[in-house]
Amino acid sequence: MQRQTLDAFDVARLVPGFRPPPQSTASPGEASVDPAAIAAADAAMRRWQSPVPGPLVPGSDAHREASCRMFRDTFNPYRPAVLDWPVLAPEVRDRIVSLPIWDIAVQTEGKARLRMAAYAATLPEPDMRDALALNAWEEHRHKEVLARMVAAYGIALAPEPPTAMPADPEWAYLVTGYSECIDSFFAFGLFELARRSGLFPQALVDTFEPVMQEECRHILLFANWAGWHRARLSPWRRLRFECKVARAWAFLVWERIGLARAVDAGPAAAVQDNNFTLNAAKSVSGDGNDLPTLLALCLAENERRFAGYDERLLRPVAVPRLVRSALRLIRLARFR
């Protein structure tokens, strides 16, 4: 096992014309940052309305421009180097260190940043290319946040396998985007559950909160890219795209089923995959938690995090619909 270290990743090299955004001007190690600036940035990343009146028809220039402007306007300029990692009580630190999710989380961010940058480089539209490149840049920042956290709390990670450039950037972006839609939906509820249970003390919750809301922005951008992209395709290309989407979903379902079997068959340490959800759910919720209550919490947190964004923008709908259907079936079975 080895300690995770910060690595070099240059989105501008992979996506010509992209300029990294400015971050907080605070210096590393600075004791405090302007509270008013922090509050303003936090509020701005959670609420956004397009000034353009009328409907945002998927596939239209207005839809694309609003999606990209939302992502640009809601950027939060926090710097991982100045995040405050609170001192934890020994028992709290031990519980957090023992969670079998950190390898998966770090590796997932590493793959996501490369896949998003690779696909962004293929796009001819400057604003959409820049939005997806910024998404890749933020994934790299998430990886840096996790790297600094594991360093702060002495969490040992397995060596990170190298990640190659994807042969099919669109396929890789679809898999990454839909995977984030799945994982973020459950992460919203699990994060709130960890806060309520005290597993994550409030100081640590406050540190991680910007990262959680950024994940909401990421899947909001992905949902609108997908709606904009498919609406512009010819019937034949649309059919090919929908087949690729179906294959991505089948891959993700099979991936999670395979990981579930591996977890049941042996120690979690032997399993390395990008399935944050399964490992986090087992660690945070525990076997004693009521499944319908957990699913309802995920739905409520998902709706809360999206509530501040323009209602004309598309939302990820597949996972919430499946969970609502599952809840109805569970409640019907209990009633019978």
Side-chain angles (χ1 to χ4, degrees), residues 24-280:
S24 168
T25 57
S27 302
E30 185 175 331
S32 63
V33 183
D34 181 10
I38 294 175
D42 186 73
M45 77 180 300
R46 297 170 190 276
R47 290 179 287 277
W48 185 85
Q49 295 291 318
S50 172
V52 179
L56 298 176
V57 180
S60 65
D61 289 344
H63 178 221
R64 187 198 73 244
E65 291 166 0
S67 302
C68 297
R69 183 171 178 179
M70 175 280 300
F71 202 73
R72 182 178 66 249
D73 290 352
T74 57
F75 172 75
N76 188 331
Y78 71 84
R79 288 180 63 183
V82 298
L83 290 179
D84 183 21
W85 297 106
V87 177
L88 303 177
E91 62 276 11
V92 174
R93 178 194 168 278
D94 291 344
R95 287 203 309 270
I96 291 175
V97 168
S98 67
L99 293 176
I101 62 174
W102 305 119
D103 292 322
I104 295 170
V106 170
Q107 293 177 24
T108 298
E109 301 293 0
K111 288 186 286 187
R113 63 184 183 177
L114 181 62
R115 292 172 177 176
M116 290 177 177
Y119 182 65
T122 69
L123 297 177
E125 298 82 7
D127 54 355
M128 186 62 77
R129 181 174 64 243
D130 190 71
L132 266 64
L134 177 58
N135 199 161
W137 187 91
E138 289 184 0
E139 296 289 359
H140 174 64
R141 185 168 62 171
H142 288 185
K143 192 171 189 292
E144 185 179 351
V145 169
L146 291 169
R148 292 184 181 278
M149 177 187 172
V150 300
Y153 297 134
I155 302 173
L157 300 182
E160 187 174 356
T163 304
M165 289 290 291
D168 183 346
E170 184 183 73
W171 158 257
Y173 182 55
L174 283 170
V175 170
T176 298
Y178 285 121
S179 180
E180 285 204 329
C181 288
I182 297 170
D183 293 338
S184 295
F185 174 85
F186 291 104
F188 295 156
L190 291 167
F191 185 72
E192 175 62 14
L193 182 62
R195 184 192 69 82
R196 294 182 184 182
S197 68
L199 176 64
F200 283 9
Q202 188 60 46
L204 189 57
V205 169
D206 293 342
T207 299
F208 257 114
E209 177 57 35
V211 177
M212 296 300 298
Q213 192 63 30
E214 272 188 344
E215 291 294 352
C216 179
R217 291 172 55 256
H218 291 181
I219 60 177
L220 182 62
L221 176 65
F222 175 76
N224 282 274
W225 164 83
W228 168 78
H229 180 67
R230 61 165 39 99
R232 298 167 62 249
L233 299 174
S234 65
W236 172 243
R237 293 180 63 200
R238 171 75 175 268
L239 178 60
R240 292 181 59 188
F241 179 74
E242 298 300 349
C243 289
K244 187 178 284 190
V245 169
R247 187 161 62 97
W249 277 106
F251 170 80
L252 291 170
V253 170
W254 180 257
E255 180 184 62
R256 281 152 173 76
I257 292 174
L259 182 62
R261 290 174 178 170
V263 169
D264 290 339
V271 181
Q272 294 301 326
D273 192 88
N274 67 348
N275 188 351
F276 169 83
T277 306
L278 177 65
N279 290 269

